[in-house]
Amino acid sequence: MATALITGGTRGIGLGIAEALADEGFDLALCGRRPASSVAEVMSALEARGVRVTYTQADISDGEGRQRLVDGVREKHGELHVLVNNAGIAPSERLDILHATEGSYDQVLDVNLKGPYFLTQAVANWMVEQRQGAGDYQGCIVFISSISTTVASPNRGEYCISKAGLSMAAQLWAVRLAEYGLPVYDVRPGITKTDMTAGVKDKYDDQIANGLTLQPRWGVPEDVGKAVAMLARGDLPYSTGQVLMVDGGLTVPRL
């Protein structure tokens, strides 16, 4: 049974990905900042899909947390085939970049960029080890970035910068891991209905109704989950380093 590690996999987009990969038969290793008792109901629901599910409380912005996570997956599952770098945070307060704070910048960049970058380093070395140990080993890495990689929002600049950096990280790891046959992908969700976007629901309801997206609806976590499942299955084996947009056509240039 193949195993997938999904950071932030117990709610929002991460949960949508976890559900999709469980339906594909992947055992799941999940992590998040919340204690295990807070995610017990989610864990049970995922296990009901017929797969093994484990959880590690870990902050990926912290080196010790990342190491504890990887060690935990090794101990509990013994192998790893898919890493989904999904965990991310928005600024605690949306501030115009004329007034943004260094504290918010550091917090967002640590979680959204530094954490996935160095978690990928640890996992990539393990995947190379597995690949060299078994010629039939198949693995892949998926970065969940955002349309904010290229769509500027001056009231949350730190978030946009973190996602732009994450997309470059995906390209860097695609280049570095190509010799080992380990593909790396960048999935960019658009406006997706989660607890992170609940506070701006009215704003985006209005914009979507007025043509912001070609497909006139919010994205849902299931949309991203289906995209990641396709990659985890190996349906795009000749596309390492590429971007997969899941944004309802928001970023299509129009006149």
Side-chain angles (χ1 to χ4, degrees), residues 68-232:
R68 183 171 65 255
L69 173 60
V70 175
D71 289 346
V73 178
R74 276 184 180 266
E75 179 182 345
K76 297 170 185 175
H77 294 269
E79 58 185 2
L80 182 62
H81 302 85
V82 178
L83 168 63
V84 183
N85 285 304
N86 165 76
I89 61 172
S92 57
E93 185 179 7
R94 290 186 176 219
L95 293 176
D96 188 292
I97 56 176
L98 288 171
H99 308 291
T101 67
E102 287 190 35
S104 178
Y105 182 95
D106 290 343
Q107 181 183 39
V108 172
L109 269 289
D110 280 353
V111 174
N112 292 7
L113 182 54
K114 185 180 79 172
Y117 186 82
F118 285 104
L119 178 60
T120 298
Q121 181 187 67
V123 168
N125 278 293
W126 183 16
M127 285 184 168
V128 169
E129 174 188 316
Q130 292 176 95
R131 178 74 168 176
Q132 292 175 334
D136 60 348
Y137 171 82
Q138 298 292 323
C140 78
I141 296 172
V142 181
F143 287 81
I144 306 299
S145 61
S146 169
I147 58 168
S148 294
T149 290
T150 59
V151 178
S153 298
N155 65 343
R156 52 183 186 135
E158 59 269 64
Y159 182 83
C160 295
I161 289 170
S162 73
K163 291 301 185 177
L166 199 63
S167 289
M168 175 50 73
Q171 292 183 58
L172 289 165
W173 285 111
V175 171
R176 186 64 187 89
L177 296 177
E179 66 178 278
Y180 301 104
L182 297 170
V184 181
Y185 306 98
D186 177 3
V187 174
R188 296 184 188 172
I191 298 170
T192 307
K193 190 170 291 187
T194 68
D195 55 358
M196 185 183 290
T197 54
V200 288
K201 180 180 182 300
D202 291 343
K203 169 187 173 181
Y204 286 134
D205 279 346
D206 182 65
Q207 290 185 344
I208 290 170
N210 284 284
L212 178 64
T213 56
L214 296 180
Q215 295 174 273
R217 68 169 176 86
W218 282 73
V220 294
E222 180 185 2
D223 294 320
V224 185
K226 288 179 177 179
V228 174
M230 175 181 66
L231 299 174

